[in-house]
Amino acid sequence: MQSSHISPVFVGRSAELTALGEALSRADAGEPRPHFLGREAGVGKTRLIQE
């Protein structure tokens, strides 16, 4: 059995989350732009995208 050690609370990435939300809003309005997300392993890239 695997247990998850991921907190249900998402903290510390409000600026990044806001930027991604704005990018999605622009895409919905017909103004898509590429965005790249990169950092070292384990810093929360996947979690940020999931949120």
Side-chain angles (χ1 to χ4, degrees):
M1 175 173 48
Q2 291 182 348
S3 64
S4 177
H5 298 293
I6 299 172
S7 172
V9 180
F10 187 67
V11 296
R13 298 281 184 209
S14 60
E16 292 88 346
L17 196 57
T18 298
L20 288 173
E22 290 171 355
L24 286 173
S25 293
R26 284 192 304 270
D28 284 342
E31 302 175 25
R33 297 179 186 155
H35 288 276
F36 299 94
L37 182 63
R39 294 275 314 255
E40 56 275 1
V43 298
K45 297 177 298 290
T46 300
R47 175 73 188 267
L48 177 62
I49 295 300
Q50 289 173 341
E51 291 295 324

